[in-house]
Amino acid sequence: MKYRLTVVVILACACVACSPIGPDYVRPTMDTPDSWKSTPGADPITWSTSNPQDAVPKSDWWTIFGDEKLNELEEQCITNNQNLKAAIAKIDQAKAQYGVQSAALLPTIQGRAAVGNTRISANRPLQNSPTNQSTIQDDWVPYISASYEFDWLGKIRRSVEAANDTLQQVTAEKENVQLILTGQVADSYFRIRQIDDELKAMTDTIGLQEKVLNLITKRHDLGASSEVDLVQQAALTEATKAQIELLRGIRNQLEDTLATLTGVPAPDFKLAAGSLPKNPPVIPVSVPSTLLERRPDIAAAERAMAAANAQIGVAKAAYFPTLALTPTYFGYESRSLPSLFSIPSTIWALGIAATQTIFDGGKTSSIVDYANATYTLATANYKQTVLAGIQDAQDALGNVQQLKLARTNEDKSLANLNRAYELSLIRYKAGLDNALTLALVQQNQMAAIRLQAQIKGSQFASTVGLIKALGGSWENVPEKIAQDPQLIQ
């Protein structure tokens, strides 16, 4: 018995020592550019030497804007958003599946106890006994059984590897979902604040337009202005009011979007009016290759590729025999309880079975082909995700730079139009300009005020887009790791 157990233990250890079947995973290389394209006329890019890792916990990036209401909405989103809760549930599923696959590395041990009382018929057919009589017997049988599949090819280890890679994949996907959702919250919030600035500016404009309307009305009553001047200014004032109502409608829709993102029914959500900060924060941009270590969607695609690679080994293991302990048990059996645990009552069995498919019509080969094709697909998806990520960052960077230049030009334009309005109003009062000239100046001024607010809002939205494109983080993570090594565990 001891000899047989020793053989089994040695066989199990030898199987574990064998290299798993199938290709070992190696992340494919990607050619990434060394720098970003810079918008002509924009400030030069400040390069960062940071080398962040995707596994390092990301900070609450939205706090860089210094807006307490935005911080509150982001926390509500993380706590209450149902899409995020679903992503967390997928992580729990993957953890459970990893536990299932890992359990196969160890033997399954079961305990069983059976007690029986059997009466044998006195009228049963005679066999080897010359007499026949009825007997009653007790049967006590406690025993422990074990089953174990020897992982001599590494099939189980490849399954565990795939499950672990999948767990990492869904964890990265959850981070990506959170990044997208928090980005949507910030984008919607700043769009609302942009509309608030537009509404304030247009409300101020209506006040000026109504003052001009009163002036024209008095001049009309005195016969100094025509009715055309009067109705034209009245139409301009009403048109501004109509645009305000349209903006309020858009704001209501954005409020509803924020409500859903933060897990609140739309009718119960209300955001008080506010305004945009003066300028968006400056985000330092590192070289494109760091995106491979920072963006959660790229990390998820890479982990999916690793899992697909492990599944190739699982599929190839079907070409070889399966070795398993069967039947294997140890226990006791006796007709009476007092003698149950005596040496003569001992029962045991130890065996090893090998199973090999001889013919399956090409099924195994097809499964291997499918696994190889799945890995090829995952590789293509990974490389495409990398390219898309670099494009996202390049586009976002270009938007930030372009809008900064546009904001500078628009600020100058609005300053000139404000001066033009002041001069035109003075000339109109002096009778040097007609009402049509004044109305055109007012229209241009209002359009410039709205465009300034729109550009400013787009600056904040594009900054959010750049943060998302950079994976939600841009800090010098190696310095953080040096201060707190547990970040990488």
Side-chain angles (χ1 to χ4, degrees):
M1 180 65 179
K2 293 182 178 179
Y3 172 76
R4 292 184 179 91
L5 290 176
T6 302
V7 171
V8 171
V9 171
I10 293 175
L11 179 59
C13 293
C15 291
V16 172
C18 295
S19 297
I21 191 172
D24 291 330
Y25 174 69
V26 178
R27 187 174 71 176
T29 58
M30 282 289 294
D31 293 331
T32 57
D34 296 327
S35 61
W36 302 101
K37 290 187 296 185
S38 183
T39 301
D43 294 334
I45 297 175
T46 301
W47 302 106
S48 171
T49 57
S50 64
N51 185 32
Q53 303 294 321
D54 177 79
V56 176
K58 294 179 175 59
S59 61
D60 299 337
W61 56 263
W62 50 86
T63 58
I64 193 174
F65 293 97
D67 191 308
E68 290 301 323
K69 187 59 182 179
L70 174 61
N71 296 345
E72 178 184 334
L73 292 172
E74 295 287 10
E75 291 301 324
Q76 291 178 4
C77 174
I78 292 175
T79 303
N80 302 325
N81 188 274
Q82 298 305 311
N83 288 330
L84 191 54
K85 289 184 178 181
I88 294 174
K90 289 182 179 179
I91 294 178
D92 293 336
Q93 286 180 325
K95 287 180 179 178
Q97 188 61 34
Y98 175 74
V100 170
Q101 298 298 331
S102 298
L105 291 170
L106 301 174
T108 299
I109 300 176
Q110 295 178 324
R112 182 183 177 186
V115 179
N117 181 265
T118 307
R119 182 181 187 277
I120 302 175
S121 172
N123 296 320
R124 69 186 185 280
L126 289 175
Q127 296 178 354
N128 296 326
S129 176
T131 61
N132 201 354
Q133 61 182 359
S134 175
T135 59
I136 298 176
Q137 291 182 338
D138 292 332
D139 192 13
W140 301 78
V141 188
Y143 67 90
I144 295 176
S145 64
S147 60
Y148 179 68
E149 180 180 345
F150 294 101
D151 193 27
W152 71 289
L153 292 171
K155 172 186 175 182
I156 298 176
R157 280 170 284 165
R158 288 299 189 196
S159 296
V160 173
E161 179 184 334
N164 184 51
D165 291 335
T166 300
L167 173 57
Q168 294 180 32
Q169 175 191 346
V170 296
T171 301
E173 287 173 348
K174 176 262 177 183
E175 291 294 328
N176 192 49
V177 169
Q178 180 169 316
L179 179 59
I180 291 173
L181 291 173
T182 53
Q184 289 175 343
V185 169
D187 183 78
S188 298
Y189 177 79
F190 287 129
R191 291 297 181 187
I192 289 177
R193 290 298 178 236
Q194 169 196 318
I195 291 177
D196 288 342
D197 286 350
E198 288 188 68
L199 288 172
K200 182 179 183 305
M202 294 180 71
T203 300
D204 294 343
T205 299
I206 284 181
L208 296 175
Q209 290 175 346
E210 288 178 339
K211 289 181 180 180
V212 174
L213 179 61
N214 291 334
L215 175 61
I216 294 177
T217 299
K218 292 178 181 179
R219 290 174 62 88
H220 174 266
D221 293 342
L222 296 173
S225 295
S226 66
E227 187 174 355
V228 174
D229 294 340
L230 180 62
V231 297
Q232 181 174 281
Q233 184 64 29
L236 180 61
T237 303
E238 293 302 321
T240 303
K241 292 180 180 179
Q243 293 181 49
I244 286 178
E245 293 304 321
L246 292 175
L247 281 176
R248 286 173 178 168
I250 297 174
R251 190 186 192 280
N252 290 338
Q253 293 178 3
L254 289 170
E255 268 192 346
D256 294 344
T257 299
L258 273 181
T260 302
L261 288 169
T262 55
V264 178
D268 298 338
F269 184 85
K270 185 65 178 178
L271 181 64
S275 60
L276 287 170
K278 184 176 181 181
N279 292 302
V282 177
I283 307 300
V285 182
S286 57
V287 295
S289 60
T290 60
L291 295 179
L292 304 182
E293 303 161 347
R294 178 156 46 194
R295 281 181 59 124
D297 58 338
I298 292 178
E302 193 269 334
R303 290 293 87 200
M305 182 172 52
N309 181 83
Q311 289 295 344
I312 295 175
V314 175
K316 287 185 174 181
Y319 284 128
F320 302 90
T322 299
L323 300 179
L325 286 178
T326 179
T328 300
Y329 60 86
F330 177 84
Y332 300 91
E333 183 175 12
S334 176
R335 66 178 180 271
S336 64
L337 186 59
S339 62
L340 178 60
F341 296 103
S342 62
I343 296 299
S345 299
T346 304
I347 59 173
W348 57 267
L350 178 62
I352 299 177
T355 305
Q356 172 62 50
T357 300
I358 298 176
F359 177 77
D360 62 3
K363 177 182 177 180
T364 300
S365 297
S366 296
I367 293 176
V368 172
D369 291 342
Y370 181 85
N372 284 319
T374 301
Y375 174 74
T376 301
L377 174 62
T379 301
N381 288 339
Y382 166 72
K383 292 184 177 181
Q384 182 60 33
T385 303
V386 171
L387 292 174
I390 293 176
Q391 178 187 347
D392 288 345
Q394 178 63 67
D395 292 345
L397 177 61
N399 287 338
V400 169
Q401 293 180 327
Q402 208 74 55
L403 287 168
K404 184 178 181 181
L405 295 175
R407 169 85 177 273
T408 300
N409 293 333
E410 182 57 25
D411 288 347
K412 294 177 181 178
S413 173
L414 181 58
N416 290 330
L417 286 170
N418 288 338
R419 179 58 179 164
Y421 169 76
E422 295 173 358
L423 295 175
S424 181
L425 184 60
I426 293 173
R427 290 176 60 83
Y428 177 77
K429 290 179 179 179
L432 300 177
D433 279 347
N434 57 32
L436 176 60
T437 300
L438 180 60
L440 290 174
V441 172
Q442 290 178 84
Q443 286 180 319
N444 292 335
Q445 181 193 40
M446 183 181 67
I449 290 174
R450 290 194 63 186
L451 182 58
Q452 183 191 54
Q454 291 167 0
I455 291 176
K456 188 177 178 181
S458 296
Q459 279 187 292
F460 280 86
S462 63
T463 300
V464 172
L466 178 58
I467 294 173
K468 288 171 57 182
L470 295 176
S473 178
W474 58 90
E475 299 168 317
N476 197 327
V477 178
E479 293 182 1
K480 286 190 172 184
I481 294 177
Q483 298 170 2
D484 187 3
Q486 292 184 350
L487 287 177
I488 61 175
Q489 296 179 356

